[in-house]
Amino acid sequence: MKERLRTLRIYPALLALGGVVVAFSSAWAGEDAGMSLLNNRCASCHNLRGPAPSSIHALWARKAPDLFYAGNKFRRKWLISWLQKPVRIRPAGEFYADHIKPGPKRDMVDESTLKPHLALSAADAKLAADALMKLRAHDDLIAKEQVPEGTISTSMGSLVFDKFLGCMACHRIRKDFGGLSGPELYTAGERLKPRFMASYIRSPQAWDPKIWMPNKHVSDTRIIQLVHYLQALSKGGSHE
Amino acid sequence: MNKKSFLFLGAITLWTLSPVLAGTSIAASAKDNYRTYCAQCHGIAGNGRGINIRDMSVQPRNHTDAEYMSQRSDDDLAKADREGGLAIDKSVLMPPWGDTLSPSEIQDMVQYLRTLCHCKYNSQ
């Protein structure tokens, strides 16, 4: 009888332990699966480990945006959605000079040299997004930024973006307006985390030392205005 | 010719050619910098017709325009490159590259611009 009682006490303990092991191993497998998905399907074009190119020729050799700080850069929800239906963000590719040709009025993007981004299944997109969220280089830069909630009228934002700072020279703020050598910004608000936007505007070189975006020494006030403007652009659906 | 004389002659030749060799490498890095940072607006041929220009309110300078470029001093060109268009009363669309290019790279860029316009500063 005594032995039977002891067995009855051991069974629940064993079951609980088994549960913990199963939960732990599936979490471990999930993490592993996410990272191996990144390694197998993304690492041939994207740098997952850093550092960013430190010379012009390394910059030219980069095939796709660095992802070793993806967790500080991207919004998870946007990643999950975009990875299933990728749409080009950089109109002239990763290094614009490799994808342009002389045109009658100006240099033109040579579409024939640009390749589409692969699409993932819903399950893989979630797995990849979760793994990317764990790549968090430059936490120190993010920690320096504070972006209070706020709004700005699109007319004031456009004045700051276009007339005061000249950002439209390289970036599109609508599908049919703006420059082509930088990433489009009409979806930036839904794509990027606010503190990343602030930090990158403050010093692109702190994230990517050789990048072709200049440091314009934008003031704190203007940085906040730009972030609010980019958020307003995404919400306004001006890219439609 | 004995071995010592041969080495001495070789050293003298290298010393004589060093400015030429150095000049070649400076021009190459300036050309690379131009392709990376300037061509997006000023064009791959330096003619002011880069991929970004369609919607600009002020068009980028044509660096092959000898008549205009010869009116700008090397110091002016370096200042515009380093501090941006506003620093020389020009457009905000020309950004400052002082945090991207070193002072010597900016001087090299000025010399590269002179090769694009085939011109020198003419104060007249």
Side-chain angles (χ1 to χ4, degrees):
Chain A
M1 185 68 183
K2 223 176 186 182
E3 196 163 311
R4 202 172 161 201
L5 273 174
R6 198 182 303 148
T7 312
L8 281 173
R9 275 191 216 121
I10 286 171
Y11 274 155
L14 278 176
L15 278 172
L17 184 65
V20 168
V21 168
V22 167
F24 184 76
S25 62
S26 54
W28 179 255
E31 186 175 322
D32 245 8
M35 266 322 287
S36 46
L37 188 146
L38 294 186
N39 285 327
N40 292 334
R41 305 198 62 187
C42 314
S44 61
C45 293
H46 294 280
N47 182 346
L48 301 172
R49 290 177 180 79
S54 58
S55 73
I56 290 275
H57 292 107
L59 183 82
W60 292 0
R62 182 164 63 188
K63 293 180 188 171
D66 291 336
L67 292 181
F68 61 92
Y69 48 83
N72 279 328
K73 177 178 180 179
F74 294 112
R75 287 174 177 270
R76 179 176 174 275
K77 186 179 168 190
W78 175 87
L79 271 176
I80 293 172
S81 161
W82 189 88
L83 285 169
Q84 294 174 67
K85 283 186 180 174
V87 178
R88 187 170 298 136
I89 293 164
R90 289 168 173 74
E94 169 54 30
F95 180 49
Y96 74 90
D98 285 339
H99 303 287
I100 57 179
K101 58 184 179 183
K105 293 183 181 169
R106 61 186 177 275
D107 295 342
M108 305 293 287
V109 176
D110 184 355
E111 295 283 342
S112 70
T113 64
L114 296 169
K115 292 176 186 165
H117 191 278
L118 62 82
L120 298 181
S121 68
D124 279 353
K126 189 172 176 300
L127 212 54
D130 287 339
L132 286 169
M133 285 297 108
K134 288 172 186 149
L135 304 181
R136 300 180 59 94
H138 296 315
D139 273 344
D140 54 329
L141 296 176
I142 294 295
K144 289 178 186 169
E145 302 294 338
Q146 290 299 326
V147 181
E149 295 270 321
T151 57
I152 187 171
S153 69
T154 47
S155 55
M156 181 59 192
S158 167
L159 201 64
V160 173
F161 185 88
D162 183 350
K163 304 294 181 207
F164 296 167
L165 294 166
C167 312
M168 61 69 61
C170 304
H171 296 283
R172 293 222 144 164
I173 48 173
R174 293 195 306 267
K175 268 186 178 173
D176 60 351
F177 183 80
L180 298 167
S181 61
E184 56 83 355
L185 294 180
Y186 45 84
T187 65
E190 60 199 40
R191 184 169 80 238
L192 305 172
K193 291 184 170 174
R195 291 203 287 175
F196 171 79
M197 289 193 266
S199 179
Y200 201 91
I201 294 166
R202 185 180 305 285
S203 176
Q205 287 67 37
W207 292 85
D208 200 357
K210 293 294 176 184
I211 191 64
W212 52 96
M213 174 168 164
N215 183 338
K216 299 193 107 174
H217 298 276
V218 184
S219 69
D220 289 347
T221 305
R222 291 275 185 254
I223 287 175
I224 302 299
Q225 286 177 319
L226 284 172
V227 174
H228 288 164
Y229 175 57
L230 297 178
Q231 289 174 326
L233 278 184
S234 283
K235 284 175 194 155
S238 60
H239 48 294
E240 294 307 328
Chain B
M1 191 185 288
N2 64 29
K3 195 177 172 184
K4 266 187 182 172
S5 311
F6 181 76
L7 284 174
F8 179 71
L9 200 64
I12 290 286
T13 311
L14 269 179
W15 179 75
T16 314
L17 283 175
S18 61
V20 179
L21 295 173
T24 307
S25 70
I26 285 167
S29 73
K31 192 176 178 181
D32 288 350
N33 282 332
Y34 192 92
R35 180 174 187 258
T36 307
Y37 303 110
C38 313
Q40 48 189 331
C41 299
H42 293 279
I44 42 181
N47 57 9
R49 296 177 181 178
I51 47 165
N52 286 339
I53 70 167
R54 193 193 66 181
D55 299 325
M56 287 184 181
S57 53
V58 177
Q59 294 292 284
R61 184 60 54 197
N62 174 358
H63 290 147
T64 66
D65 179 351
E67 192 179 336
Y68 177 85
M69 293 293 283
S70 61
Q71 292 168 27
R72 311 304 305 194
S73 69
D74 287 5
D75 285 348
D76 263 3
L77 294 175
K79 191 171 185 181
D81 202 1
R82 186 175 53 248
E83 298 171 38
L86 289 181
I88 55 159
D89 297 325
K90 301 287 181 188
S91 172
V92 69
L93 296 176
M94 167 66 192
W97 293 105
D99 285 65
T100 305
L101 301 174
S102 69
S104 68
E105 284 177 315
I106 286 175
Q107 291 308 321
D108 291 346
M109 184 60 75
V110 171
Q111 295 315 308
Y112 181 68
L113 294 176
R114 294 294 180 209
T115 69
L116 287 177
C117 68
H118 301 289
C119 72
K120 288 183 177 172
Y121 175 48
N122 180 356
S123 57
Q124 297 304 309

